[in-house]
Amino acid sequence: MTIETLSTSRAYGGVQGVYRHQSTATGTPMTFSVFVPEHEPGERLPVVWYLSGLTCTHANVTDKGEYRGPCARHRLIFVAPDTSPRGEGVADDPSWDMGQGAGFYVDATQAPWMPHFRMRSYVEDELPALVAEHFPVDMARQAITGHSMGGHGALTVALRHPDRFRSCTAFAPIVAPGQVPWGEKALGGYLGPDRAAWRAHDAVALIEDGARLPDLLVDQGDADGFLAEQLRPELLAAACEAAGIPLTLRMQPGYDHSYNFISTFMADHIAWAAKRLG
């Protein structure tokens, strides 16, 4: 698998790069960013995967996430993919919460999305194999995190692969897409009307169906305009309590849904991952 280097720059002693490749999962070019801290030749480092939210690309967290300093201190690689396939010939929707920029980390089974919207396969299989081939990643030590729609992605990917990830955290995640308007629209559109098929893409449903993680960290701003209708962290708290999953849910006073919120607590999430990655 080949990659094209779009840019590299020095940061905190390491290298921040942006790369592109032709994806077999989506059938489109896909762009992603990777920060690699300073390291010894031949050394392999743990990795943190970051999944972005609605309307975002790799660039949002790369430009505004403030992860490079903490990753350099803890010596963690940080990988940020795009949120969906893009380009001419890729299905889209006039609304901002469906289509390009809103892939929801699922493999679509419905027209017109099915040919390209295969973000589950991309983030679970293709991109990890690509990154392992081209970067000094220790794939035995992986963590995952994400924001909003990407928080939904991080939780569901980790719950489906508990042996792969030693750490899972999220910023303002959509915890129960099967019970909120964003998720009902997206899962119905991509996967069809059978709600049983949605459960593999719903963190609360996965926990109810027996999926488990050692622990979780979730930060949520209490001034987030999407809190009551779309995010509903109390559903995750109830599911974790019933399943015996230790959940650290931090309601952050005065914080909204923006990257100012994410960047404020990013160092905590990197430290949480570092402690579990060793």
Side-chain angles (χ1 to χ4, degrees):
M1 294 183 285
T2 60
I3 62 172
E4 175 188 2
T5 301
L6 301 182
S7 67
T8 59
S9 57
R10 194 80 166 151
Y12 291 92
V15 175
Q16 175 66 65
V18 178
Y19 308 90
R20 180 168 56 207
H21 73 111
Q22 182 64 33
S23 168
T24 57
T26 68
T28 67
M30 294 294 289
T31 302
F32 62 99
S33 74
V34 182
F35 173 70
V36 180
E38 194 170 21
H39 61 285
E40 297 296 326
E43 184 181 13
R44 305 192 79 80
L45 304 177
V47 60
V48 177
W49 304 91
Y50 177 90
L51 303 183
S52 294
L54 287 164
T55 76
C56 292
T57 70
H58 70 282
N60 297 78
V61 71
T62 306
D63 294 344
K64 298 183 283 190
E66 298 185 22
Y67 57 82
R68 281 173 285 270
C71 282
R73 288 192 297 275
H74 293 288
R75 306 180 71 252
L76 304 178
I77 291 172
F78 191 97
V79 181
D82 202 346
T83 50
S84 72
R86 301 177 191 270
E88 188 175 350
V90 176
D92 203 4
D93 189 274
S95 62
W96 60 274
D97 57 358
M98 190 76 180
Q100 296 186 36
F104 266 81
Y105 305 101
V106 304
D107 283 356
T109 61
Q110 306 298 304
W113 314 107
M114 186 168 51
H116 300 294
F117 280 74
R118 296 181 52 80
M119 290 302 294
R120 174 179 178 175
S121 292
Y122 182 70
V123 301
E124 289 187 353
D125 301 318
E126 184 178 15
L127 185 62
L130 184 76
V131 167
E133 180 179 344
H134 291 278
F135 299 92
V137 172
D138 179 356
M139 296 298 281
R141 294 186 290 166
Q142 298 186 60
I144 192 166
T145 187
H147 170 234
S148 193
M149 178 186 72
H152 139 76
L155 292 172
T156 55
V157 170
L159 284 162
R160 290 193 300 261
H161 299 279
D163 295 334
R164 183 185 300 185
F165 298 98
R166 296 191 189 181
S167 168
C168 179
T169 71
F171 301 87
I174 305 170
V175 303
Q179 302 184 54
V180 301
W182 276 343
E184 290 180 324
K185 178 180 179 179
L187 298 183
Y190 295 135
L191 302 178
D194 181 6
R195 287 177 174 260
W198 301 6
R199 296 186 70 82
H201 305 280
D202 181 310
V204 167
L206 282 164
I207 293 169
E208 289 173 350
D209 292 346
R212 297 291 182 266
L213 289 172
D215 54 17
L216 290 169
L217 168 65
V218 171
D219 273 313
Q220 172 65 63
D222 71 1
D224 189 323
F226 302 115
L227 175 60
E229 184 179 27
Q230 306 283 11
L231 306 178
R232 304 194 62 190
E234 71 279 2
L235 297 178
L236 180 65
C240 286
E241 182 177 8
I245 299 173
L247 169 65
T248 302
L249 173 60
R250 307 193 305 184
M251 298 300 298
Q252 303 291 0
Y255 283 88
D256 59 17
H257 203 67
S258 72
Y259 267 86
N260 292 325
F261 157 65
I262 298 167
S263 63
T264 298
F265 301 104
M266 179 64 79
D268 291 352
H269 288 241
I270 298 298
W272 177 281
K275 182 177 180 180
R276 287 152 181 80
L277 294 171

